[in-house]
Amino acid sequence: MNIQQNIQLQPYNSFRTKAIAKLFAQPETVDELQELLQTYANEPKFILGGGFNIFFTQDFNGLVINPAMRGIRTISENTDFVEIEAGAAEDWDNFVAYCVSHRYSGVENLSLIPGTVGAAPIQNIGAYGAEVKDVIVKVIAVEIESGKMVEFSNAECEFEYRNSIFKRTRKHIITHVVFRLSKSFEYKEKYVDLNHELKNITTPNLSQVREAIIRIRTRKLPDYNSLPNAGSFFKNPILTKEEKEKLLTLLPDAPVYNAKEDGYKTSAAYLIEKAGFKGKRKGDVGTYEHHALIIVNYGTESGQEIVNFMHDIQNSVFQQYGVSLEPEVWIF
Ligand code: EPU
């Protein structure tokens, strides 16, 4: 395996910030990964997937591991369900396209989310009323410290809204994910935007749902190739009853949904827009004109400028509405 030295990480993060990695490796098999961990046992390690939910503010004086395990294969099936194992480096949306083309349902609402299969469980990707946790059977990983292979059942992944054991502990490298998909499909109305997009179709099929989501996302979200970004920058905040009531006295129209985790979820995009930040630009950083939750990079190569802008938004939203916004993106 080729171990590269002093690699520029700018092409490896969708925000296109600059940082140098002392060492960089792309193991293609579990054996290669285990060998790498053993050889570089004393180096600090950083695991980088597709780089769509991260940006750098500093160089990394250690080994960056970019898992490169590929392959999509059926491991079992019956008349109703199929279990599919996919390598961590498979492009997420290619995997969704594969499933939809085989008429396997369960991931179609997660169409066009940038990133890799291996990154999907880490932050439990979600969109249009679906979360990846609902179709994951198990996650196969290697423990960084010991080099041992470990399998996590769905429950052991401890999935939450945009969170999991992998994100909380950062102790594992995901090599493969096993999904359970359904061979039948019936469209269920869950999300207003999607229902609206499909309003002219009486019984939407899988491909039509995927196409509708691709249209919505393409309209609302900026393309990282022309306007570097990392998708939603903040999580949608979960409020206590008191915080919710305070917010509603200030902003009676604020969207509030009952969240599972014993609180009330509101919309970060709405709060950022109300705070006056939609489409606002400061230097080379700003929020996207069509979606306030997305911070876009107009040309800075320094992650610090993004962090400064993030603080401006957080301070303003907190001062005006008493709500703390927590980044969804990983800032290194
Ligand atoms: N809104 C505004 N201003 C805006 C944009 C949105 O006020 O500029 C309000 C609207 O009321 C809208 C509501 O915010 O109805 C929700 O907006 P949207 O449907 O776009 O969803 P979101 O909550 O902003 C979440 C996910 C997205 C996912 C969409 C669609 C998080 C942090 N983000 O965004 O995921 O695509 O739902 O389901 O949960 C990502 O995680 O990177 C991501 C893009």
Side-chain angles (χ1 to χ4, degrees):
M1 190 186 358
N2 180 21
I3 314 291
Q4 302 180 73
Q5 293 188 10
N6 297 322
I7 283 294
Q8 175 54 255
L9 296 174
Q10 194 176 30
Y12 294 97
N13 72 104
S14 61
F15 248 127
R16 302 287 179 251
T17 56
K18 275 191 165 170
I20 302 287
K22 186 175 75 173
L23 300 164
F24 184 87
Q26 295 177 303
E28 289 176 15
T29 62
V30 171
D31 284 351
E32 280 189 1
L33 173 60
Q34 287 171 322
E35 193 191 313
L36 188 69
L37 291 173
Q38 207 173 13
T39 312
Y40 293 94
N42 297 325
E43 288 289 346
K45 289 171 200 76
F46 182 87
I47 318 308
L48 181 64
F52 290 98
N53 203 47
I54 186 173
F55 66 90
F56 302 99
T57 58
Q58 56 189 312
D59 293 339
F60 185 63
N61 190 24
L63 171 66
V64 170
I65 300 176
N66 182 220
M69 297 84 187
R70 302 200 72 99
I72 298 178
R73 67 187 181 104
T74 296
I75 52 176
S76 71
E77 64 184 303
N78 60 27
T79 44
D80 301 325
F81 292 100
V82 59
E83 281 194 4
I84 297 186
E85 183 186 273
E90 288 295 332
D91 175 75
W92 173 259
D93 191 56
N94 279 347
F95 173 69
V96 175
Y98 172 94
C99 296
V100 170
S101 70
H102 285 75
R103 298 208 175 84
Y104 302 150
S105 76
V107 285
E108 59 284 351
N109 284 21
L110 308 178
S111 287
L112 214 62
I113 294 184
T116 58
V117 163
I122 297 178
Q123 63 148 350
N124 182 21
I125 57 171
Y128 308 104
E131 283 186 323
V132 77
K133 74 171 172 56
D134 299 330
V135 289
I136 288 181
V137 177
K138 65 179 174 187
V139 172
I140 303 164
V142 169
E143 192 182 48
I144 299 172
E145 194 63 38
S146 65
K148 285 199 184 111
M149 270 187 88
V150 202
E151 284 192 9
F152 292 80
S153 68
N154 182 297
E156 286 164 346
C157 295
E158 297 175 9
F159 289 122
E160 290 171 10
Y161 167 62
R162 294 296 193 277
N163 212 348
S164 71
I165 192 164
F166 310 108
K167 186 164 170 181
R168 274 194 298 272
T169 67
R170 305 240 175 239
K171 284 186 176 164
H172 298 89
I173 302 172
I174 295 174
T175 63
H176 299 84
V177 182
V178 178
F179 301 89
R180 184 172 190 257
L181 301 161
S182 172
K183 288 186 176 175
S184 58
F185 174 70
E186 193 190 333
Y187 177 68
K188 293 194 189 80
E189 296 206 351
K190 276 194 200 157
Y191 203 89
V192 181
D193 277 8
L194 186 56
N195 297 340
H196 183 75
E197 191 69 26
L198 289 165
K199 67 177 186 304
N200 295 328
I201 306 173
T202 332
T203 43
N205 65 29
L206 261 188
S207 303
Q208 287 166 326
V209 171
R210 172 168 163 78
E211 283 155 19
I213 284 171
I214 290 176
R215 285 197 300 275
I216 300 173
R217 291 189 75 96
T218 310
R219 269 201 310 266
K220 277 174 97 166
L221 307 175
D223 178 356
Y224 60 85
N225 288 310
S226 45
L227 207 47
N229 73 87
S232 295
F233 195 95
F234 299 100
K235 291 186 189 181
N236 282 326
I238 304 205
L239 309 178
T240 61
K241 193 159 182 278
E242 293 71 40
E243 288 168 331
K244 178 202 74 165
E245 276 157 14
K246 183 179 168 209
L247 176 67
L248 288 175
T249 54
L250 296 166
L251 293 172
D253 295 336
V256 176
Y257 321 93
N258 280 331
K260 287 176 205 137
E261 300 96 308
D262 230 8
Y264 303 84
K265 198 188 268 187
T266 188
S267 159
Y270 174 89
L271 295 176
I272 296 168
E273 182 170 342
K274 288 287 169 191
F277 274 89
K278 186 168 181 173
K280 188 166 170 179
R281 176 172 174 171
K282 191 172 171 191
D284 276 333
V285 184
T287 54
Y288 188 47
E289 56 179 328
H290 302 302
H291 205 302
L293 191 52
I294 301 181
I295 294 184
V296 292
N297 180 359
Y298 290 104
T300 184
E301 292 183 326
S302 145
Q304 199 51 49
E305 205 175 325
I306 301 171
V307 170
N308 296 344
F309 189 68
M310 168 187 90
H311 286 147
D312 287 353
I313 295 177
Q314 285 172 316
N315 292 339
S316 181
V317 168
F318 188 75
Q319 277 161 16
Q320 294 183 61
Y321 307 117
V323 176
S324 305
L325 292 181
E326 195 191 319
E328 195 228 72
V329 171
W330 188 16
I331 304 165
F332 181 79

